[in-house]
Amino acid sequence: MILVTGGLGFIGSHTVRALLDLGEDCVVVQRRPRSLPAMLTGGRVAVEQADVADRDALLAIGRRHDITGIVHLAGSYPWPPAPEAPVEAARQAIDGLLNIAQAAQEWGVRRLGLAGTIGVYFGAENDGPLREDAPLPPSTSAVIPTFKKIGEMLGGYLADTTGVDIVNYRISGTWGPLGHADPFFAAPALVHAAARGTAPDLSDLAGPAFAEDGLDLNYVKDTGRAIALLQLADELNHRTYNVGSGRATTNAQLAEAIRKVVPDARIDLPSGGHTPHLVLDITRLREDTGYQPEFDTDRAAADYIAWLRAGNKA
């Protein structure tokens, strides 16, 4: 039975779905009450409400379920940033990661997966697809990449000292059903606007969006399946894996795919954009799990729009 923290969230729900499809039972851990997404109803899913920063509550779950693996997707970082109490927020984030590692050791799980981000590469030399062994900038002004780097380093230490197989997932820009507006890429806003027949609301973006802006975008169903494959692989040859599509998708390419479904979509963006695009090298993932993305941009856009038009809200 695989425990998935944040298992009723965006990427979490799709990871649980993929694990179920691969024959695994799952326990999902959520800090706040949340209804089971439709894609998980009728499946072999137990739901536990707990905060990973509460060690006793987390460890108690292992007395109620036979946990064989852990996928840690719950946010282990102070987000949104907490300027009024930064030290306490950082302490809780690190405590959550340490508690998960302790649970993995005490329960004797085979593998613990830690969710990271493509953001750890921000500022790295970028003359082609980014490999996991690329030198990373030692610091960043962004909260999430900072704590993900800390998590990777702590994970490496704990893997060496506890004997638990701890694996890092550097997840690319992910979009699709159950998702939300993202501050770093426009894909969700463009798809929602097309489905509603409105102009896109880009107010959540950290900066202006241009047609030629691009990023390694991965459809969430592919992201969830990649994580499930990493969790269940008989043997992994590395501790860190990029999880993405292995290609850049620009806003112009996405708009073209959307208009194949919604020809009159009002999603024009001004010309221009920032280069180079961040693209992940997924050779390790492909070689060690057999993973290949199933959704190209056209198929992903059509699937997401159909899901929204069916009355789903996110």
Side-chain angles (χ1 to χ4, degrees):
M1 179 172 265
I2 308 299
L3 182 143
V4 183
T5 70
L8 299 183
F10 173 37
I11 294 176
S13 293
H14 291 275
T15 299
V16 171
R17 181 67 264 168
L19 287 166
L20 295 173
D21 291 342
L22 291 168
E24 289 291 329
D25 296 343
C26 292
V27 179
V28 298
V29 178
Q30 284 292 143
R31 182 172 58 182
R32 298 183 181 89
R34 182 178 292 187
S35 59
L36 202 67
M39 72 177 72
L40 300 182
T41 56
R44 304 172 305 280
V45 182
V47 180
E48 294 277 358
Q49 185 178 343
D51 188 333
V52 296
D54 184 338
R55 181 177 59 183
D56 291 340
L58 178 65
L59 293 177
I61 295 173
R63 295 192 289 271
R64 295 190 289 271
H65 305 280
D66 180 18
I67 308 298
T68 59
I70 301 174
V71 176
H72 183 35
L73 300 177
S76 293
Y77 44 83
W79 185 260
E84 70 284 356
V87 174
E88 182 57 29
R91 179 181 291 114
Q92 290 185 11
I94 293 172
D95 280 351
L97 176 57
L98 294 176
N99 291 343
I100 286 290
Q102 181 177 346
Q105 184 181 32
E106 292 192 9
W107 299 342
V109 306
R110 192 172 73 92
R111 181 171 294 142
L112 163 60
L114 303 178
T117 173
I118 191 174
V120 300
Y121 292 110
F122 290 169
E125 291 188 11
N126 182 13
D127 57 358
L130 293 158
R131 292 173 48 88
E132 294 90 343
D133 55 6
L136 299 181
S139 63
T140 176
S141 60
V143 170
I144 295 176
T146 295
F147 278 83
K148 294 305 185 182
K149 289 180 185 179
I150 292 170
E152 287 191 7
M153 289 187 288
L154 272 178
Y157 165 75
L158 293 167
D160 289 337
T161 54
T162 65
V164 176
D165 182 15
I166 299 180
V167 179
N168 303 303
Y169 319 134
R170 293 177 179 170
I171 300 172
S172 70
T174 299
W175 61 298
L178 299 178
H180 46 75
D182 193 282
F184 302 113
F185 56 92
L190 297 179
V191 172
H192 276 252
R196 293 192 303 261
T198 63
D201 178 3
L202 302 175
S203 60
D204 289 309
L205 289 177
F210 296 96
E212 285 73 37
D213 285 338
L215 181 69
D216 188 318
L217 291 183
N218 209 36
Y219 199 54
V220 68
K221 294 181 181 181
D222 280 334
T223 297
R225 185 168 53 85
I227 293 172
L229 290 171
L230 284 167
Q231 175 62 37
L232 300 180
D234 290 336
E235 182 178 356
L236 294 175
N237 296 308
H238 307 277
R239 283 188 178 168
T240 301
Y241 289 83
N242 289 332
V243 175
S245 66
R247 65 181 185 274
T249 301
T250 66
N251 287 331
Q253 291 169 329
L254 178 60
E256 181 181 357
I258 290 172
R259 286 198 171 98
K260 291 179 180 178
V261 184
V262 187
D264 58 350
R266 296 155 54 191
I267 52 175
D268 290 318
L269 295 175
S271 296
H274 303 287
T275 57
H277 300 150
L278 291 181
V279 178
L280 297 180
D281 185 316
I282 60 171
T283 301
R284 286 184 180 183
L285 174 62
R286 186 172 59 247
E287 290 181 346
D288 284 6
T289 70
Y291 167 83
Q292 289 286 355
E294 293 183 352
F295 287 81
D296 61 15
T297 307
D298 286 354
R299 184 182 178 196
D303 186 79
Y304 196 3
I305 291 169
W307 189 81
L308 290 169
R309 284 180 163 177
N312 299 291
K313 301 299 183 184

